[in-house]
Amino acid sequence: MRTGTRGRLARWALLRLGGVVFVLWAVATVTFFALRLIPGDPAEAVLGGPGSQASAEALAQARADYGLDQPLVTQYAVYLGRLATGDLGSSYALREDVASVVLTNLGPTLLLAALSLLVAAALALGLAVWSTRGGRISAAIGSLLEIVAAAVPHFWLAISMILLFSTLLGWLPPVSVPGPLGLVLPVLTLAIPLAGFLGQVMREALLDAMQSPFVLAARTRGEGDGGVFWRHALRHAAIPAIGLVGWAFGSLVSGAVVVETIFARQGLGRSLLSAVQSRDVPMVIGVVLVVALAYMLVTTLTDLADRLVDPRLRRVSR
Amino acid sequence: MNRTLPSLVAAASVILLIAGCSPAAPANTEPVTGGTLVYASGDAEPTCLDPHVGGNYPQALVATQYLESLVSIDDDGEIIPWLATEWSVADDGLSWDFTLRDDVTFTDGTPFTAEAVAVNVAHLQDPATGSSTGYLALQKVESVEVVDDSTARFVLSEPDSALLESLSQPWLAIESPTALARPQAENCESPVGTGPFVVTAWDRQESITLERNDDYTSPPADAAHEGPAYLDGIEWRFLPDSASRYAALQAGTVDVIDNVQPDTIVAAESVDSVEELNAPRPGASNRIELNSSKAPFDDVLVREAFIRSANVDDAITSLFFDTAERSYSPLSSVEKLGYSADPELFEYDQDAAADLLDEAGWTETDADGYRAKDGVTLELDFPVSTNQSIPAEQSLFEQLQATAKEAGFKVNLEPLDLSSWYGALGENDYDLVSAPYTKVGPDVLRILFDSAGTIPAPSGYFANHSQVKDDALDALLQSAGATSNEAERADDYAAAQQIVLEGYYILPLYDQQNHFLLRADVEGLRAMPTVSTPTLYDTWLDR
């Protein structure tokens, strides 16, 4: 029985790993060709951006330096070969190793995303608990708040909060400054819409759980309101929310593009934006690959978390 | 995003009208030394801090603080000494001798000599450098000979009346030959010049740290003081979003911001703690170019009809709130050889437009009310670069689209990112386009309107977007570029601009906007009369 479980786990891990490699290859390939299909010359990125009016000699030099004079298929093969050895290449625009640029920027973005996720989860939980336990009016208010929160665009929220907390009240810096104070507005900007989504899901699940047979069973065992809620219903409600965490992480990374730009924060989102604008192919692929990898890592972890929270999944073999 | 931000800022300005307004501090008149100024740029972050590499405006903005040129320009547009004290041109116009200052040292200790000038020109002309702006400006320069330590001779392949203007630009600034000998990546990160400040760190996507050069001795002839700068240093930050940039200025997080939008300028007028500096860029005015190489704009009648149908003045008034002045010239108002047409040439007149279209044979009307000829709708493709066009300008294009519709033009506005936009231009896939071009001096006309400018570079880029091919115009631009007679040069350029304007190849709009907002305690900030980049050399903080 033990070896069987271990074998299943090994097979599951192997499949998962194969999937990861396949997805990374697909992402690299699609990005590589997509960036080449849209008009614009990557050699110009080397020379300071499109329309740089570079001389023919300079362009020829740049093409030779970066292998851009080779046929596209050759460039692709060379690039893939390098990727396979873990070499992300060097950025056209920044004249630096993509890996080192990504590493520098990964930390700030992960910190932003992780904090936003935590704050969003806390907000969503608070709102869901308050609105399901507070009767009909608080339920309506909670539901409305969630819908509004989920619908507000990041940039609108960011600018509104800058106006309110920086310009009018003067409590918080309007743009990124070193230290925790500079993180408050960026984190709230990402967390509030996400809390709206998570809250909706959690409240549904909570309401659902409160009416389900196991809660009735618990009550008949003499469990009080609070016990039923905290020990049973909440656990039930966490399951769909955990399932959403992977998706939420993806949305946080895309939201980071906006938030990092508005608050002038260092990070992957801002790197990605400027790399796309300057058609810096290695940089774009590098960032996208790292984001894809992080995304897959997070979904794997949420799968594992699901198994911990939901004992039923542990019994079902995959 | 671009559409919504201006309205948010407008809303914000209303709130600020009520909430803002702090009392102004009494002005100190004696400059004080000390303090770090935070400059927040809304321009792109340079990819290389050496403006020889590539050569665009974001590089010029920051390089003005640490690099210096051979000559500069004063407020009257006259060439004045800087690193070079004197110059003379040979009678045949084929060689220029520059006398250099002999008491200047680069911040890495390398002495500034004629050899350094020669190395810089060679660096700009080396394909491996990847220079575009500097390279183009030095096209007629064959080499630089070192006559002696303080005399550099520029040897030309043909006379170049724009040489001094070209050399005044920050993209041709002089760097330490010792520093240039390093690998490019290294020089990009810490270029070394003779300027009042020194680059000490570059934290990408965050800021560039600049510290005062205590041994500084070489201000341009029109600077307000001598000796080292007043500021201890500058924190040069990148704040891409215009709303947060203004919020940061108001909060005092930053001291100076650039790329200020019209609605923000208006909002700031009522805020006592904030002042404005308006410094239009030289070179070309902002204008719409009409692609005369293909139908329907190969017909001058249709070009004139479009220009008559465009209600530019009303659109500027409503969208720029008097922060931009209408231009009737291909050149910026700061160019002393700029020629302005009679405003009547561009007068808004729908009846005239209708008559012109009738005359040109666009007499049919299609189902949607647009003019047509032989069953073909009068359609115009107008790709718009969202990276280079501010939101107010994009709204202006929309208003022009609406007034042109009344005349029967169907204008297809296509907002594109920079690469796609250049792609569309390279494929001749446009009828209307608006492209900025900054250069010191009227020689920019040669780049924009010479027939040679219609031939795409290997990158697909060409600068003559209106695709004017006119022998008389070419001849005028050629002789203006070669003559050493100032009066003749002025006449040639005036005649050339007249041909461009009267041929309805362009619709001039306004100067290239260059507005700065600064906190009221920032004193002595001025824009260089060269390409209007701010210089912080004379700047001090009154706090």
Side-chain angles (χ1 to χ4, degrees):
Chain A
M1 183 66 203
R2 279 182 64 89
T3 47
T5 313
R6 210 176 273 172
R8 268 206 300 277
L9 198 67
R11 213 180 57 191
W12 176 80
L14 212 63
L15 274 175
R16 196 93 194 187
L17 191 69
V20 166
V21 172
F22 175 79
V23 169
L24 290 181
W25 167 78
V27 164
T29 303
V30 169
T31 319
F32 181 88
F33 286 104
L35 281 169
R36 286 306 172 79
L37 281 176
I38 23 186
D41 184 346
E44 285 173 339
V46 179
L47 298 173
S52 55
Q53 307 171 53
S55 67
E57 293 93 329
L59 277 168
Q61 179 86 37
R63 289 208 181 89
D65 287 353
Y66 289 84
L68 294 166
D69 49 353
Q70 306 287 316
L72 198 56
V73 181
T74 315
Q75 290 181 43
Y76 171 67
V78 169
Y79 192 76
L80 218 55
R82 274 213 223 111
L83 276 188
T85 63
D87 179 2
L88 292 178
S90 110
S91 156
Y92 295 161
L94 303 179
R95 293 170 172 75
E96 246 187 287
D97 267 356
V98 170
S100 78
V101 180
V102 168
L103 268 184
T104 327
N105 289 303
L106 185 62
T109 301
L110 282 186
L111 178 69
L112 183 69
L115 282 177
S116 304
L117 198 58
L118 282 177
V119 171
L123 285 176
L125 186 66
L127 196 63
V129 169
W130 173 75
S131 70
T132 44
R133 286 169 69 84
R136 205 171 281 183
I137 292 176
S138 60
I141 294 174
S143 168
L144 184 73
L145 280 178
E146 283 157 11
I147 290 168
V148 172
V152 290
H154 287 130
F155 68 84
W156 186 86
L157 191 59
I159 304 284
S160 310
M161 288 203 302
I162 287 176
L163 280 179
L164 182 63
F165 293 114
S166 303
T167 314
L168 282 181
L169 299 172
W171 292 349
L172 292 164
V175 290
S176 164
V177 293
L181 218 54
L183 264 167
V184 177
L185 290 184
V187 165
L188 281 180
T189 302
L190 283 178
I192 288 173
L194 186 57
F197 276 112
L198 291 180
Q200 281 171 314
V201 173
M202 288 171 88
R203 200 162 45 85
E204 283 302 312
L206 272 179
L207 290 172
D208 189 43
M210 293 301 280
Q211 280 151 21
S212 57
F214 67 79
V215 166
L216 192 67
R219 282 192 198 284
T220 53
R221 282 201 309 271
E223 192 119 40
D225 254 7
V228 167
F229 191 85
W230 294 111
R231 216 164 306 152
H232 298 277
L234 209 54
R235 189 168 186 166
H236 191 70
I239 294 166
I242 287 172
L244 274 177
V245 166
W247 164 85
F249 180 78
S251 94
L252 285 175
V253 170
S254 64
V257 175
V258 175
V259 166
E260 286 170 359
T261 303
I262 291 183
F263 294 103
R265 265 186 70 80
Q266 206 170 23
L268 277 188
R270 212 169 145 200
S271 309
L272 182 61
L273 184 68
S274 69
V276 170
Q277 279 172 351
S278 63
R279 203 120 312 177
D280 188 347
V281 178
M283 191 67 213
V284 175
I285 299 183
V287 173
V288 170
L289 280 181
V290 168
V291 169
L293 194 64
Y295 179 79
M296 288 184 289
L297 201 68
V298 168
T299 42
T300 306
L301 287 177
T302 54
D303 275 4
L304 290 174
D306 258 351
R307 287 162 168 243
L308 289 177
V309 176
D310 189 352
R312 289 169 300 183
L313 291 175
R314 264 172 269 172
R315 273 174 242 123
V316 184
S317 74
R318 290 222 163 161
Chain B
M1 175 154 171
N2 280 337
R3 207 56 39 91
T4 323
L5 285 181
S7 50
L8 286 171
V9 176
S13 59
V14 174
I15 301 172
L16 294 172
L17 262 174
I18 307 160
C21 308
S22 62
N28 206 336
T29 44
E30 260 324 282
V32 288
T33 296
T36 297
L37 181 141
V38 185
Y39 180 99
S41 180
D43 253 303
E45 180 170 11
T47 54
C48 174
L49 301 187
D50 167 8
H52 290 189
V53 178
N56 58 16
Y57 205 75
Q59 287 174 303
L61 276 171
V62 66
T64 299
Q65 319 312 324
Y66 50 81
L67 299 184
E68 297 184 304
S69 302
L70 289 181
V71 295
S72 190
I73 293 182
D74 67 12
D75 286 329
D76 300 323
E78 301 297 331
I79 302 286
I80 55 169
W82 201 350
L83 289 178
T85 52
E86 277 171 61
W87 47 87
S88 62
V89 58
D91 289 341
D92 61 2
L94 291 178
S95 76
W96 289 70
D97 281 2
F98 288 83
T99 307
L100 311 174
R101 289 186 58 152
D102 54 10
D103 57 346
V104 177
T105 308
F106 291 101
T107 50
D108 63 358
T110 310
F112 166 69
T113 59
E115 179 62 31
V117 176
V119 168
N120 272 269
V121 169
H123 183 245
L124 279 159
Q125 292 185 327
D126 182 358
T129 303
S131 169
S132 54
T133 312
Y135 179 92
L136 279 181
L138 289 173
Q139 259 173 335
K140 294 178 183 171
V141 174
E142 248 169 20
S143 64
V144 173
E145 289 172 5
V146 178
V147 179
D148 58 51
D149 263 3
S150 59
T151 313
R153 177 171 297 154
F154 280 65
V155 180
L156 273 57
S157 55
E158 53 180 301
D160 184 2
S161 67
L163 183 67
L164 291 172
E165 286 156 353
S166 293
L167 289 174
S168 76
Q169 305 183 100
W171 303 293
L172 289 96
I174 306 297
E175 298 177 48
S176 157
T178 316
L180 285 179
R182 299 173 299 170
Q184 190 177 81
E186 206 177 312
N187 198 60
C188 276
E189 212 154 298
S190 56
V192 177
T194 57
F197 296 95
V198 182
V199 180
T200 53
W202 181 14
D203 194 2
R204 299 212 190 210
Q205 287 178 29
E206 272 297 319
S207 61
I208 300 168
T209 308
L210 303 162
E211 282 172 21
R212 179 176 47 225
N213 170 12
D214 287 327
D215 304 319
Y216 180 70
T217 56
S218 51
D222 63 342
H225 80 291
E226 285 180 357
Y230 299 121
L231 296 169
D232 290 340
I234 306 165
E235 190 191 336
W236 193 275
R237 291 200 61 178
F238 301 101
L239 302 190
D241 184 74
S242 67
S244 39
R245 207 158 54 243
Y246 183 48
L249 181 77
Q250 288 190 297
T253 316
V254 305
D255 300 303
V256 181
I257 62 174
D258 61 22
N259 275 268
V260 183
Q261 309 299 310
D263 41 9
T264 310
I265 299 169
V266 175
E269 271 166 17
S270 57
V271 181
D272 290 343
S273 59
V274 171
E275 283 166 9
E276 195 214 337
L277 173 68
N278 181 13
R281 296 184 193 181
S285 60
N286 268 3
R287 70 233 168 269
I288 296 178
E289 289 156 299
L290 284 63
N291 182 352
S292 64
S293 75
K294 58 175 191 172
F297 280 156
D298 52 357
D299 185 344
V300 64
L301 294 172
V302 184
R303 293 203 296 273
E304 187 183 349
F306 174 77
I307 283 172
R308 296 268 173 227
S309 76
N311 189 353
V312 179
D313 290 356
D314 285 358
I316 291 180
T317 313
S318 64
L319 293 163
F320 285 80
F321 318 103
D322 293 327
T323 61
E325 200 173 318
R326 175 74 201 271
S327 165
Y328 298 98
S329 171
L331 291 182
S332 158
S333 66
V334 303
E335 290 294 348
K336 62 174 176 168
L337 293 188
Y339 166 88
S340 277
D342 183 348
E344 237 169 60
L345 195 64
F346 298 104
E347 202 174 20
Y348 173 58
D349 187 342
Q350 289 288 3
D351 293 337
D355 292 345
L356 285 160
L357 285 178
D358 285 342
E359 198 184 333
W362 293 88
T363 45
E364 300 161 26
T365 305
D366 76 1
D368 300 317
Y370 295 111
R371 293 273 187 150
K373 184 170 158 180
D374 306 325
V376 180
T377 302
L378 184 53
E379 228 171 316
L380 303 170
D381 289 330
F382 191 170
V384 175
S385 157
T386 50
N387 299 87
Q388 297 184 118
S389 220
I390 61 169
E393 187 170 85
Q394 289 170 41
S395 307
L396 174 111
F397 296 154
E398 284 166 19
Q399 293 203 7
L400 296 188
Q401 176 187 42
T403 58
K405 186 183 176 180
E406 287 174 40
F409 286 99
K410 184 178 185 191
V411 179
N412 303 317
L413 282 173
E414 302 157 79
L416 296 172
D417 74 81
L418 200 55
S419 294
S420 311
W421 182 76
Y422 276 115
L425 299 194
E427 285 160 26
N428 200 16
D429 191 10
Y430 67 96
D431 298 301
L432 294 161
V433 76
S434 172
Y437 205 105
T438 307
K439 186 186 192 302
V440 172
D443 187 48
V444 68
L445 294 168
R446 178 182 55 82
I447 293 169
L448 296 177
F449 300 110
D450 193 289
S451 306
T454 59
I455 302 162
S459 63
Y461 180 82
F462 55 91
N464 185 345
H465 298 311
S466 45
Q467 306 202 32
V468 197
K469 286 181 199 146
D470 185 317
D471 293 340
L473 181 57
D474 288 354
L476 284 168
L477 294 171
Q478 170 68 30
S479 78
T483 183
S484 48
N485 180 325
E486 268 304 307
E488 204 178 301
R489 188 176 185 230
D491 288 347
D492 285 348
Y493 279 132
Q497 292 173 72
Q498 213 168 343
I499 291 178
V500 170
L501 294 169
E502 288 175 0
Y504 297 104
Y505 293 107
I506 61 167
L507 173 57
L509 298 174
Y510 34 68
D511 284 333
Q512 287 185 67
Q513 302 294 294
N514 222 18
H515 293 278
F516 302 90
L517 290 181
L518 42 142
R519 293 192 61 83
D521 55 7
V522 174
E523 305 284 348
L525 178 75
R526 69 164 184 141
M528 295 289 287
T530 45
V531 294
S532 296
T533 49
T535 168
L536 298 172
Y537 167 59
D538 289 326
T539 306
W540 52 282
L541 299 172
D542 183 14
R543 39 178 92 138

